[in-house]
Amino acid sequence: MFNLLIGLDAGVVPADRMFEYTDDRVRRELGDEYELRIERLPALSMPEIGDERFEQVATLGRILSLRATGRTHRFEFEPNPRLKPIPVETVRELADRLNVDPEGWEFRRTHWAVKQAELFEVLFEYVAGAPRSIDRTYSPSAAVQFPTDTPLDSKLVAVMMPFDPNFDVVYETIALAVEDIGMECVRVDNIWEHDHVMGDVLSLLWRARIVVADLTGRNPNVFYETGLAHALPRRTILLTQNADDVPFDLRSIRYLHYGIGSKARKMLQEQLSDRLRTLSSSRQL
């Protein structure tokens, strides 16, 4: 999910414009403590399309604070200085994949919406020029070579986690969540198709439709594999037992925080099943 702020340049949004154009399911998921949950989501702030008072660009950033004050909500938006502004026409071109109605009034109405879409993945694919199918061509001279002649497996979920038996019970939980939605998962250390383990990693990432990456313990192999998954790009779900193990640059991406007790693992199974179901039904691969 991500925050979409349109026409909100003064740090204030009327209460009746909060959550306009937001699906009811998203509102329920945010719950009563939505202020805290919203602050964890990436944000895209832009003027109303056609408003000549403002430069027609959208800015990526995050919400530092949000609080209800009577008939308004006051907030602080912090732009990311490392990310260039995006022309609003580009945002409109990507509207369908960002769950915005390109033909409606949403781009021309001041409001705050929360959208069920992976903002950075959509923008990365657009900027990188990746097509919407598996037929992207990679240079044979590249240091990392994927098996581009291998087809995508629409039922395959790749699981990246430390090569440690302590994670076996976590993998069993992930496998149950994947099974719940009729897909299949493979943990990279459970396959041996190539002489070099990296060959198995590249093959699995290329064939998988969805990647689940457990960042617990800041394992460098998992970080590297997660970077490859994002670069392809593949729809990626991040997990961790410790929020401090999520690198700063990834904290704007939603992740599932879990425990290893039986009740906590049951909750992880349910949350992961819901997330997998959403991604597997998405039109974007």
Side-chain angles (χ1 to χ4, degrees), residues 156-271:
L156 180 61
V157 176
V159 180
M160 304 298 171
M161 56 180 20
F163 293 176
D164 186 328
N166 291 326
F167 284 86
D168 289 350
V169 68
V170 180
Y171 178 70
E172 292 171 4
T173 303
I174 295 171
L176 289 173
V178 172
E179 184 180 342
D180 286 343
I181 66 162
M183 297 183 75
E184 300 176 355
C185 67
V186 174
R187 184 176 172 181
V188 70
D189 49 333
N190 285 343
I191 57 177
W192 191 355
E193 299 173 352
H194 302 81
D195 292 334
H196 195 288
V197 66
M198 183 50 65
D200 290 331
V201 171
L202 299 180
S203 174
L204 182 57
L205 286 174
W206 182 265
R207 291 182 289 116
R209 182 176 186 186
I210 300 173
V211 175
V212 176
D214 193 331
L215 305 183
T216 303
R218 291 178 168 262
N219 183 282
N221 291 335
V222 175
F223 282 4
Y224 180 73
E225 292 155 4
T226 303
L228 291 175
H230 283 158
L232 271 172
R234 289 291 177 266
R235 307 307 300 269
T236 304
I237 302 173
L238 304 180
L239 312 179
T240 186
Q241 295 176 30
N242 185 349
D244 291 337
D245 287 341
V246 180
F248 175 79
D249 286 350
L250 295 183
R251 289 181 185 175
S252 59
I253 302 175
R254 293 182 66 200
Y255 59 86
L256 297 181
H257 185 273
Y258 73 91
I260 58 174
S262 57
K263 290 185 178 180
R265 284 187 281 111
K266 181 62 176 177
M267 181 179 297
L268 171 62
Q269 179 182 341
E270 294 172 354
Q271 293 176 333

Side-chain angles (χ1 to χ4, degrees), residues 11 13 34-35 39 65-70 72-76:
V13 55
Y34 60 86
E35 294 98 337
E39 290 177 15
S65 64
L66 173 67
R67 65 184 187 279
T69 56
T72 65
H73 284 71
R74 294 189 176 276
F75 67 92
E76 184 178 358

Side-chain angles (χ1 to χ4, degrees), residues 144-163:
V144 174
Q145 297 187 40
F146 291 93
T148 57
D149 57 345
T150 303
L152 176 76
D153 185 342
S154 62
K155 295 292 185 180
L156 180 61
V157 176
V159 180
M160 304 298 171
M161 56 180 20
F163 293 176

Side-chain angles (χ1 to χ4, degrees), residues 33-181:
E33 298 182 354
Y34 60 86
E35 294 98 337
L36 294 176
R37 300 202 64 183
I38 277 176
E39 290 177 15
R40 294 177 55 185
L41 302 177
L44 184 68
S45 178
M46 58 182 283
E48 295 181 29
I49 288 182
D51 189 341
E52 297 180 353
R53 297 175 300 168
F54 303 98
E55 185 180 5
Q56 292 289 289
V57 295
T59 305
L60 289 158
R62 62 176 178 164
I63 305 301
L64 295 182
S65 64
L66 173 67
R67 65 184 187 279
T69 56
R71 296 182 179 180
T72 65
H73 284 71
R74 294 189 176 276
F75 67 92
E76 184 178 358
F77 170 78
E78 180 183 61
N80 189 322
R82 294 181 298 172
L83 301 177
K84 295 181 179 180
I86 303 167
V88 294
E89 287 303 319
T90 296
V91 178
R92 180 153 60 179
E93 182 177 343
L94 297 170
D96 185 57
R97 299 169 65 195
L98 293 173
N99 284 329
V100 181
D101 180 5
E103 305 300 330
W105 286 97
E106 185 166 2
F107 282 127
R108 300 181 182 276
R109 180 173 172 82
T110 297
H111 70 284
W112 182 316
V114 178
K115 295 297 183 178
Q116 183 71 61
E118 295 298 331
L119 176 64
F120 287 113
E121 290 187 21
V122 172
L123 292 176
F124 178 87
E125 183 172 340
Y126 178 86
V127 172
R132 303 182 189 186
S133 69
I134 198 67
D135 297 328
R136 181 172 180 178
T137 301
Y138 285 80
S139 168
S141 62
V144 174
Q145 297 187 40
F146 291 93
T148 57
D149 57 345
T150 303
L152 176 76
D153 185 342
S154 62
K155 295 292 185 180
L156 180 61
V157 176
V159 180
M160 304 298 171
M161 56 180 20
F163 293 176
D164 186 328
N166 291 326
F167 284 86
D168 289 350
V169 68
V170 180
Y171 178 70
E172 292 171 4
T173 303
I174 295 171
L176 289 173
V178 172
E179 184 180 342
D180 286 343
I181 66 162

